[in-house]
Amino acid sequence: MSKKDNLLFVGFMGCGKTTIARAYAKKYDKIFLDTDSLIKEKYNLEIGEIFKTYGEKKFRKEEQKIALFLHCLQNCSIASGGGFIEQKKLKNIGIIVYLKASFDYLLQRLSKEELTTRPLFANTNNAKILFDQRIKKYEKKANIIIDIENKSVNEIIKEIKKEVK
């Protein structure tokens, strides 16, 4: 097996990276990892609390450490945080799958509670600006782009499997 056996799911907050990566891992017998969960476990805090207590810069440094760690792994289905796309050499981790959705669709998907627990979604206008900045990076770095709007988890997984050779 090569590192290309890994799938790294990227996309903006709320697009379902964790749900899709977990379901893909289960269906195709891969190890499931979530980069945000790894950081939460280290600090024993939710992401919002990590941002408040340590700041976004510290959080991004933790993501950088995880990115380096992921370069060594095989046969994984990896859910990343929305900003993980900023990390360098992502293609060394594996196949990058961008779960694409419009900003309005993501807003509709997230409950009011979820919007308040996601630190970068606290201000919708700022979140939209961030979305617009990141979308180009997702598209540029992705090996596979899957439009997730109005599709079930199973439909999305089937589309991904068709693209993964």
Side-chain angles (χ1 to χ4, degrees):
M1 287 191 180
S2 72
K3 289 181 188 167
K4 290 296 180 186
D5 291 319
N6 293 330
L7 290 171
L8 176 65
F9 291 88
V10 301
F12 203 68
M13 296 172 277
C15 71
K17 296 179 296 286
T18 300
T19 301
I20 300 300
R22 182 181 283 122
Y24 194 92
K26 184 176 178 184
K27 183 163 179 108
Y28 296 107
D29 196 28
K30 292 189 170 285
I31 297 164
F32 168 72
L33 293 170
D34 183 302
T35 63
D36 282 353
S37 291
L38 293 170
I39 296 170
K40 286 170 24 177
E41 286 295 319
K42 177 177 179 176
Y43 288 90
N44 196 27
L45 294 170
E46 292 300 315
I47 300 298
E49 290 299 312
I50 296 169
F51 269 65
K52 282 183 204 170
T53 306
Y54 299 100
E56 183 178 358
K57 189 174 181 179
K58 177 71 172 169
F59 183 82
R60 299 299 172 207
K61 284 190 178 199
E62 293 298 330
E63 283 186 325
Q64 188 175 31
K65 291 176 194 173
I66 290 169
L68 290 172
F69 166 71
L70 294 174
H71 288 192
C72 304
L73 301 181
Q74 294 179 358
N75 199 34
C76 294
S77 179
I78 306 159
S80 67
F84 201 78
I85 197 71
E86 302 290 343
Q87 298 304 317
K88 294 178 178 20
K89 299 182 182 178
L90 291 181
K91 296 210 188 244
N92 290 345
I93 295 171
I95 298 168
I96 301 169
V97 180
Y98 169 34
L99 301 178
K100 183 178 181 174
S102 69
F103 187 76
D104 290 337
Y105 180 79
L106 296 175
L107 276 179
Q108 290 172 1
R109 281 194 70 209
L110 296 171
S111 68
K112 289 185 187 221
E113 180 185 329
E114 285 179 300
L115 288 173
T116 60
T117 61
R118 295 171 185 261
L120 298 179
F121 247 124
N123 179 312
T124 307
N125 291 333
N126 289 346
K128 175 67 168 110
I129 292 166
L130 187 59
F131 175 86
D132 290 339
Q133 291 169 348
R134 286 187 181 163
I135 197 166
K136 294 173 187 101
K137 293 174 185 173
Y138 295 136
E139 290 175 351
K140 182 179 179 184
K141 292 186 179 184
N143 301 106
I144 299 169
I145 298 174
I146 304 292
D147 185 341
I148 61 144
E149 291 191 28
N150 303 309
K151 293 179 184 167
S152 70
V153 171
N154 286 336
E155 289 172 321
I156 294 167
I157 288 172
K158 283 179 186 174
E159 278 189 49
I160 294 165
K161 189 61 177 173
K162 283 181 194 174
E163 296 291 328
V164 175
K165 310 256 181 323

